[in-house]
Structures are given as structure tokens and as C-alpha cells.
Amino acid sequence: MVRRDAGSENVIIRDRQVALRSFHHDNMSGENSFTVGRSTANQPIEMVWSFLKRSFTQLWRNIFKNMIDLNLFNNADNLHIQCIRFCFLPVIQMHLDRFRQTWNVHRIRSEPNREVPTGIPNVMFYQPLRYGARDCSCHLACNIAVLDDIADSYTEANPQYGCSREFRDLLELVNGQNLHESDLPASPNDANVLFIEMVSLLDSL
């Protein structure tokens, strides 16, 4: 059973969980395999969000706010939004991947008067018995093809480069080359420079 709070980000998790558990016939299968509770009771994930905000989210908020204040980025202009996605999403994803890797191998220390799991997240997840926890994994009564069908039914593929097909076609037309052949930004500064160049070029068309 999966327990989450009522946040909208958990809708897809709920639908996938119910779909996966619909193959089973125990008391917690199907609709009973997902339950909603108060976010204040989800201490481990709330701790992750708090750490993520301090080390990651606030940085990007400040970057985009600064661009708006300097009149570089108009968040009401669809062309600017498409450009910001194309330029910055690869860098944001790279930073998220780095954060995930760092978080999953760091050691969570025990805290007085707080009932939170302690240990290394990757080890706790794959070897729960080492921490006196119960292994809640179970065999799925389906194969990979069924999982792919469920993913197709309950999720939408993210648009390539984070932008619309029309915008990608426009970039390829302007650049005269396939986007796969283009070098993507590797840092916030690289993304910022590319964004300014792209907006200037597209506005001049």
C-alpha cells in the first residue's frame, strides 16, 4: 500500500498504484492500495522537500526572478516560455539528477524526539531487513509489456526539450540543423546566454 498526502502531484502515483495492484486479490489490492493522509505525518518526504528547497529550488527561483526584474524574461510571452524551457530544462534536470544521487547515498542521522528513519536511503530501500524493517515488495503478476501499457495509459510523455513541436521545428528552421546536433547548455550561465541570443534572434524574425 502507498500512503501520500492530498497534493495534486500524487494523482499519477495513485492511478499507477491502483492499476498495478488491480492484478492482486488481497484485502489491500485495487482502490485499497492507496491511502491519503496529512502531509505533516509524512516526515521523511517533507524533510527531503525542505532540503531540496534550501539547496536547489530557491536558487532557480532567484535566477528567474532576476531575469524578470532585468526585463530579460517575460513570463507572459509564450515565445519566452518556450525559450526558457529549451535553454534551462537540461541544466535543471542535470542538477536534479545530481541532487538525487547525493541524497540517496548520504546518511540520515537520528534526531532526538523525532521518529524518522535513519541510515542510507539506497540501502534502506533495497535492504530493509538490515534496519529491522519489513520487506514490503511483492511479485507483480504481469510482465514488462503490461507495465509499458499502464505507463502509456496513465502518463503523458514529456515534450522533447520541454517545448512544443512547433517551437522545435522553428528552431531547426532558423538554425538550419537538427536539434540533436546542437550543444545543450551545461550551466545556468550558459543557459542564460543562449536564452538571450535565442530571444533576440526570434524577436527579429
Side-chain angles (χ1 to χ4, degrees), residues 6-97:
S8 58
E9 72 276 8
N10 291 317
V11 172
I12 294 178
I13 295 177
R14 178 200 65 200
D15 292 345
R16 280 190 168 188
Q17 172 70 5
V18 171
L20 288 169
R21 293 282 275 120
S22 65
F23 291 95
H24 303 133
H25 304 288
D26 56 275
N27 293 333
M28 304 305 293
S29 63
E31 295 288 342
N32 294 330
S33 67
F34 188 92
T35 184
V36 175
R38 295 178 303 137
S39 61
T40 53
N42 298 336
Q43 292 184 1
I45 191 61
E46 293 300 326
M47 183 171 58
V48 175
W49 291 138
S50 174
F51 187 80
L52 182 64
K53 180 178 180 180
R54 294 194 306 272
S55 64
F56 179 87
T57 310
Q58 197 59 51
L59 165 69
W60 288 101
R61 284 181 177 175
N62 292 340
I63 288 175
F64 295 132
K65 183 179 184 303
N66 186 56
M67 292 177 68
I68 292 173
D69 292 342
L70 294 174
N71 293 319
L72 297 175
F73 172 43
N74 179 1
N75 60 352
D77 186 322
N78 184 58
L79 182 64
H80 280 219
I81 293 174
Q82 295 285 333
C83 286
I84 211 89
R85 289 175 176 171
F86 179 84
C87 296
F88 283 89
L89 275 180
V91 184
I92 293 174
Q93 187 61 59
M94 180 178 64
H95 284 191
L96 278 172
D97 291 342

